Amino acid sequence: MLFGLGSTEIVLMVMVALAVGSGLLALLLPFLDSNGAVARIKSVVSEPRRVNASSQPRSGRVIEGKNDNRRKQIKETLKQADARANKRKGLPLRLQISRAGLSISVLKFWLISVGCGVLFFLIPLLIGFPTYVGALSAIAATFGLPRWFLSTLANRRQKIFREELADAVDVMVRGLKAGLPLSDAMKIIATESGPPIGPEFMEVVDGQRLGITIDQGLERMFDRMPIPEVSFLGIVIGIQSKTGGNLSETLGNLSRVLRDRKKLKAKVRSMSQEAKSSAAIIGAIPFLIIGALLLISPGYLDPLLSTTNGHLILAGAGVWMLIGVLIMRSMINFDI
């Protein structure tokens, strides 16, 4: 006890005094610095480095000018890539089907969706659920289930493409070192690789015959395969076509970057596997308990399955469980 104060009050007062003193010191330091060291540090940090052009040799000025031009090209290319990525919100259905690797038309997709809706409307009615349950399941099946299927297929294709892209870039590097042009190296990948690598590069090769440049073909590939690795490839080839340089060396560096990203993704996946298993167990527990109760005491859950209030309780529990699953999924999934 000190002046009637307890230990908790003393510790709190010390912490407040340290915080106030640190803030005052940070505010008064520029005025207390007689040598101007703080001002010099700020000037070095905030102002760009200026080099006297006359003191540099001519070769150094030429190299620096080329580097500045290359930086400008990189910035412009990155801005264009960001602009393209921002425009891809609200994808048309035709593009979603293309990303899934399917060759069906939009009309056929809607016919399949309506068929799923009719099927999921009849199944609850045959089981004995009310009509509104069948209507809700029909709406979910018509507008949700087919698009979820497209999304699943697209994610699977993107995963396979990501795994095989580094090998495809290595094929391009070896072709360029052997003296082949870039288009012929891509043609080798298109003819020798399986889906989805082969068909995607075949689209680029076929586009060149119609007058589409490689840069534009890679932009269209990014529309169909929207993963960062394809964007990296398009940026590298686009910058090299504008500024020049050793393309084989640059693609070799890109291949190493892609392989490092693959290793990092595998490491993150292995580290988060325990959390994914825990989330799966937590999500399966309610269904296991309901199944056990139906086997042990079939009539115990009749009020929950045969009354309106029971249906509302089940619907609310399903919504809350879905929210919990989505929260757990966002906590254990990482984008690299």
Side-chain angles (χ1 to χ4, degrees):
M1 299 291 290
L2 181 64
F3 299 108
L5 298 176
S7 59
T8 305
E9 287 81 0
I10 294 174
V11 172
L12 182 60
M13 291 177 62
V14 171
M15 293 177 64
V16 171
L18 289 175
V20 174
S22 301
L24 292 176
L25 182 62
L27 292 174
L28 297 177
L29 183 60
F31 303 98
L32 298 176
D33 183 37
S34 58
N35 295 326
V38 176
R40 287 195 299 271
I41 293 173
K42 287 185 177 180
S43 64
V44 171
V45 173
S46 60
E47 294 181 2
R49 184 180 178 184
R50 294 184 177 88
V51 181
N52 190 4
S54 61
S55 63
Q56 277 191 315
R58 181 183 178 131
S59 59
R61 293 198 299 269
V62 172
I63 293 174
E64 186 178 356
K66 289 183 178 179
N67 291 334
D68 291 339
N69 188 19
R70 190 178 181 85
R71 290 192 201 98
K72 292 179 181 179
Q73 293 285 350
I74 293 173
K75 288 181 180 179
E76 292 178 0
T77 307
L78 291 175
K79 288 180 180 178
Q80 292 175 2
D82 292 338
R84 291 196 303 268
N86 292 330
K87 290 180 180 178
R88 288 182 176 87
K89 297 178 180 179
L91 296 173
L93 185 58
R94 177 71 262 173
L95 184 56
Q96 296 180 30
I97 296 173
S98 177
R99 287 183 177 182
L102 301 178
S103 58
I104 61 176
S105 62
V106 177
L107 178 60
K108 189 174 182 180
F109 175 81
W110 279 115
L111 291 176
I112 294 174
S113 301
V114 172
C116 290
V118 172
L119 180 63
F120 277 80
F121 177 75
L122 295 176
I123 290 177
L125 295 182
L126 295 176
I127 295 176
F129 284 97
T131 306
Y132 66 87
V133 175
L136 292 176
S137 62
I139 294 173
T142 303
F143 298 100
L145 183 61
R147 293 179 183 271
W148 172 82
F149 184 69
L150 288 181
S151 177
T152 303
L153 290 180
N155 291 332
R156 186 179 302 173
R157 290 185 77 244
Q158 291 171 15
K159 182 179 179 181
I160 298 173
F161 191 94
R162 188 183 293 111
E163 293 291 330
E164 299 178 356
L165 183 59
D167 296 333
V169 175
D170 287 338
V171 172
M172 281 193 285
V173 172
R174 290 193 290 268
L176 291 172
K177 289 182 178 179
L180 295 175
L182 182 60
S183 58
D184 290 346
M186 287 188 174
K187 189 174 182 180
I188 294 174
I189 298 172
T191 54
E192 299 295 334
S193 301
I197 288 282
E200 291 296 334
F201 276 92
M202 184 60 74
E203 291 283 343
V204 179
V205 174
D206 292 339
Q208 288 184 277
R209 299 171 185 171
L210 301 176
I212 300 174
T213 62
I214 294 180
D215 298 345
Q216 295 173 346
L218 291 175
E219 289 181 8
R220 296 187 177 187
M221 181 190 291
F222 184 70
D223 289 334
R224 299 185 302 270
M225 195 68 60
I227 57 177
E229 287 78 1
V230 177
S231 179
F232 295 160
L233 179 61
I235 289 173
V236 166
I237 295 178
I239 291 174
Q240 289 297 123
S241 64
K242 295 177 182 177
T243 61
N246 191 349
L247 182 57
S248 62
E249 181 180 357
T250 306
L251 289 176
N253 295 332
L254 176 62
S255 176
R256 286 191 290 272
V257 170
L258 296 180
R259 294 187 187 279
D260 291 339
R261 284 174 59 87
K262 188 191 301 185
K263 292 179 182 178
L264 183 59
K265 283 181 177 292
K267 185 176 181 180
V268 171
R269 191 182 305 115
S270 63
M271 294 177 65
S272 61
Q273 192 61 42
E274 182 180 356
K276 291 181 180 178
S277 301
S278 301
I281 293 172
I282 293 173
I285 285 176
F287 299 101
L288 294 177
I289 293 176
I290 291 176
L293 288 175
L294 290 175
L295 291 176
I296 297 172
S297 178
Y300 185 76
L301 296 178
D302 284 345
L304 197 63
L305 300 176
S306 60
T307 62
T308 304
N309 293 331
H311 295 159
L312 293 177
I313 292 173
L314 285 177
V319 170
W320 282 111
M321 186 173 178
L322 178 62
I323 294 173
V325 169
L326 293 177
I327 292 174
M328 287 189 292
R329 184 175 182 273
S330 64
M331 293 173 63
I332 61 181
N333 283 341
F334 305 94
D335 292 330
I336 302 176

